[in-house]
Amino acid sequence: MGIVAGLDSASDFTRIVVCDADTGAVLRQGYAPHPVESPEGGGRLSDVDPQAWLLSLGEAAGGGLLEGVQAIGVSAQQNALVPLDGQGSGVRPALVGADKRAQVAAAELVDGLGGRQAWAEAVGCVPQAGQPVTKLRWLAKAEPDNARRTALLMQAHDWLVWQLLGRPARRTTDRGGASGTGYWSAATGTWRPDLVELALGHPAALPDVLGPSEAAGMTPEGLLISAGTGETMAAALGLGIRLGDAVVSLGASGSVMAVHPEALVDSTGMITSLADATGMHLPVVTTLNAVRTLRGAAELLGAPDLESLSDLAMKSTPGSHGLVMLPYLEGERTPSLPHAAGTLSGLRRESMKPEHLARAAFEGMLCGLADALDVLRGRGVDVQRVFLLGAAAELSAVQTVAPALFGAQVVVPQPADYAAIGAARQAAWALGVSQGALDPRTPPAWQGAAAQVLEPGEDLAVGQAVRQQYVSVREQTHPGAFRA
């Protein structure tokens, strides 16, 4: 089918990959940071001029990178709210990230609809500070003039697709991006304009939601633009995950998502029910403490970096000589313990050695993520293998401990721009469907990510004993934390 491109407009940069449309092989790449400007008038870091995304895109595509490309897919940071007036002009900078200014607004929205269960049933998630619906509420309270001028709502990938197409009258999004707004239901596949009005105080126009393989349009130069999607959904498409797969992302905080055939309603708010970029669903469970647990342990033990902490942990044995760390250093979301602190249990004279504390940090972090996996398993989500993402996934202690604690095959993909690759795969899909060469229900079968595969093997029983030790301490310290 020729060549296609995928661009990922992340929070700080734009990456572009150009791929063979048939195989997915990456042919060339581009990168550019978003231009950084000093905030004016006491502006906040969470306020971003969307034009910065276009400038970065243009720089990343320089040097003829897109020559010969027939279709482009767009992935972009999620939760970026772009409020526009009736003529399509911005009424203020985009609100991006997990904006802490919106925490009070999130609580107001929960109460305004009648509680957490009401939100879970309405849109598959409970409002969080970063979501567009919560930012709308904040806008209505903090900037009422801007709120009154807001007539159209877009997210980052919606806005970029619209710009690439020359700002047509029809504005579009995809179900993956829509599912993160807080005003689209993954279960019914429809917008909830009443929730927009609840948050903003008046109605606002919303983009048309395209199907996974539909094109958003053609540029004047004849370049096909696919629907686009959020970074999470694009990365899942780029990795090629399917039913039976879960993805554990190791950042400062952690997340666990899995492919599931239907939307999940979770009244506790632990599960966020997102849609993916293929027509399936991506239930997500978030933990607040992942790699920050390792960094804290490294500082405490004087380890210069995480590799040194990992080497130290490998000198210990499974179970950390009885030490158990509950890694709730920033409070915790899974389980819901917002005001908790971390706990170190099992201190005995023989366990008071640096290597045991180091291993307890790794085991505690991974047991916390195993708890998140169990939330999904408890709702009928099949997990046969776990993709492990993030720089910490390369650490020997993580790779040694994770398979047995997760009770599944662990796949550690080689580092790559999976969100951009997923966007390119979506572009190839839309291109193939437009040419009559691909089924609109099935994405192109690209080569899988190069990866290291780890099996629990004979360590499974030992890992489950470590996990039970952790669960016992968790239940003793925070009894009933996982009860609905």
Side-chain angles (χ1 to χ4, degrees), residues 278-295:
T278 73
M280 302 286 278
H281 294 268
L282 280 178
V284 179
V285 180
T286 302
T287 69
L288 297 182
N289 301 280
V291 176
R292 64 165 41 99
T293 305
L294 305 184
R295 297 201 182 282

Side-chain angles (χ1 to χ4, degrees), residues 234-242 245 259 385 387 418 425 446 448-449:
L237 190 59
L239 283 166
I241 66 170
R242 56 183 187 267
D245 291 342
V259 182
R385 62 176 181 168
F387 285 75
Y418 289 110
R425 190 179 180 202
W446 280 12

Side-chain angles (χ1 to χ4, degrees), residues 2 57 65 71 96 133 151 179 183 198 238 241 251 270 299 336 359 379 388 411 450 459 484:
L57 190 164
L65 183 77
V96 304
V133 70
S179 68
Y183 40 83
L198 174 67
I241 66 170
M270 285 192 289
E299 291 176 13
S336 181
R359 185 161 185 126
R379 294 299 307 278
L388 203 53
V411 179
D459 294 331

